[in-house]
Amino acid sequence: VDPRVVVLDDQTSRDQMVEHVLKEAPQQFILAGNSMGGWVAIKAAATAPERISKLILLNTWASPDPKLNEIQKDILRDLKNGFVDQVLSRHLPFALHPKSLSNPDLLAKLHSMFEHCKTGVLINQMEAILSDYDSLSLLPKITMPTLIIHGREDQLFPTSEQEVIQKGIKNAQLKIIEKCGH
């Protein structure tokens, strides 16, 4: 395979993100997306099924979640007010396996990664998520073989959400990774 990473940093909507992915990708490809990337991959697979031969979704969502949606609105507000460190400190524990929180090297790498990320990128991504949250109606349009991978201890998206995605996609398999977070 020829793996490629498509960076989604300038786009402010899921449609723009999908358009960017499809523009950057070869004519025929396997698409994998984690979290927000999985959310984008769902729409890309429903939009251009003739181009995507296989789909891999990791720790993502399709159903609206009012509680998570409110948290994301709070994150967006805090980012716009310049509270990046506070957002990271408050929400990083939800994205990691509990044992990872005691790994200072990993935490330092994650903090460094976010420090180098422009706040505008995080704002763009959060605005895109909040503008087009629901993917349930897209799932039946996905026709290619799909693998859903999920960390059992993901605190952002429960296993039940992955089961909803699996049931909504005709050719989907769900694999759970034990002792694994988001």
Side-chain angles (χ1 to χ4, degrees):
V1 296
D2 176 20
R4 300 177 191 186
V5 175
V6 177
V7 178
L8 302 171
D9 56 0
D10 291 330
Q11 301 76 23
T12 58
S13 73
R14 181 160 57 162
D15 286 339
Q16 290 174 359
M17 290 176 172
V18 167
E19 182 180 318
H20 183 66
V21 167
L22 295 174
K23 184 181 92 173
E24 295 293 317
Q27 193 56 38
Q28 188 76 33
F29 63 104
I30 296 169
L31 180 58
N34 179 60
S35 193
M36 183 193 80
W39 169 77
V40 172
I42 287 170
K43 187 147 192 183
T47 302
E50 72 285 352
R51 293 195 49 203
I52 301 168
S53 60
K54 295 179 183 175
L55 179 64
I56 305 166
L57 303 172
L58 303 99
N59 298 316
T60 194
W61 75 94
S63 307
D65 181 341
K67 181 180 172 188
L68 183 58
N69 198 260
E70 285 305 312
I71 291 169
Q72 291 166 324
K73 287 176 184 175
D74 290 343
I75 290 171
L76 179 58
R77 184 193 63 243
D78 288 347
L79 289 171
K80 286 182 173 182
N81 288 322
F83 302 136
V84 179
D85 289 336
Q86 293 88 329
V87 167
L88 188 59
S89 297
R90 205 167 45 244
H91 298 287
L92 191 58
F94 295 108
L96 297 176
H97 184 275
K99 289 184 180 179
S100 299
L101 293 171
S102 60
N103 181 336
D105 292 335
L106 175 63
L107 293 175
K109 285 178 186 176
L110 288 170
H111 277 275
S112 175
M113 181 180 79
F114 277 96
E115 285 174 10
H116 289 96
C117 183
K118 297 176 188 171
T119 304
V121 170
L122 300 173
I123 290 171
N124 288 348
Q125 292 174 344
M126 199 57 59
E127 286 180 342
I129 290 169
L130 290 168
S131 71
D132 183 15
Y133 201 83
D134 188 353
S135 297
L136 289 174
S137 65
L138 300 174
L139 299 178
K141 297 177 183 178
I142 298 174
T143 56
M144 69 286 302
T146 301
L147 175 61
I148 303 160
I149 301 172
H150 180 65
R152 170 86 64 201
E153 295 169 18
D154 185 335
Q155 296 181 57
L156 293 174
F157 309 115
T159 302
S160 59
E161 177 64 10
Q162 311 316 299
E163 292 166 346
V164 166
I165 296 170
Q166 179 190 18
K167 288 176 186 164
I169 300 173
K170 183 179 178 184
N171 296 311
Q173 292 182 23
L174 174 60
K175 300 295 180 184
I176 305 293
I177 301 175
E178 301 296 334
K179 298 180 183 174
C180 180
H182 187 70

Coordinates of all heavy atoms in Angstrom, one line a residue, residues 19 53 88 163:
E19 N -14.6 16.8 0.3 CA -14.1 17.3 -1.0 C -12.5 17.3 -1.0 O -11.9 16.9 -2.0 CB -14.6 18.8 -1.2 CG -14.2 19.3 -2.5 CD -14.8 20.7 -2.7 OE1 -15.9 21.0 -2.4 OE2 -14.0 21.6 -3.2
S53 N -12.6 1.4 -2.1 CA -12.7 -0.1 -2.2 C -13.0 -0.7 -0.8 O -13.7 -1.7 -0.7 CB -11.5 -0.7 -2.8 OG -10.4 -0.4 -2.1
L88 N -7.2 21.3 26.8 CA -6.4 20.1 26.7 C -6.4 19.4 28.1 O -6.6 18.2 28.2 CB -5.0 20.4 26.3 CG -4.0 19.3 26.0 CD1 -4.6 18.4 24.9 CD2 -2.7 19.8 25.6
E163 N -21.7 -0.4 17.5 CA -22.7 -1.4 17.1 C -23.8 -0.8 16.2 O -24.3 -1.4 15.3 CB -23.3 -2.1 18.3 CG -22.3 -2.9 19.1 CD -22.7 -3.3 20.5 OE1 -23.7 -2.8 21.0 OE2 -22.1 -4.2 21.0

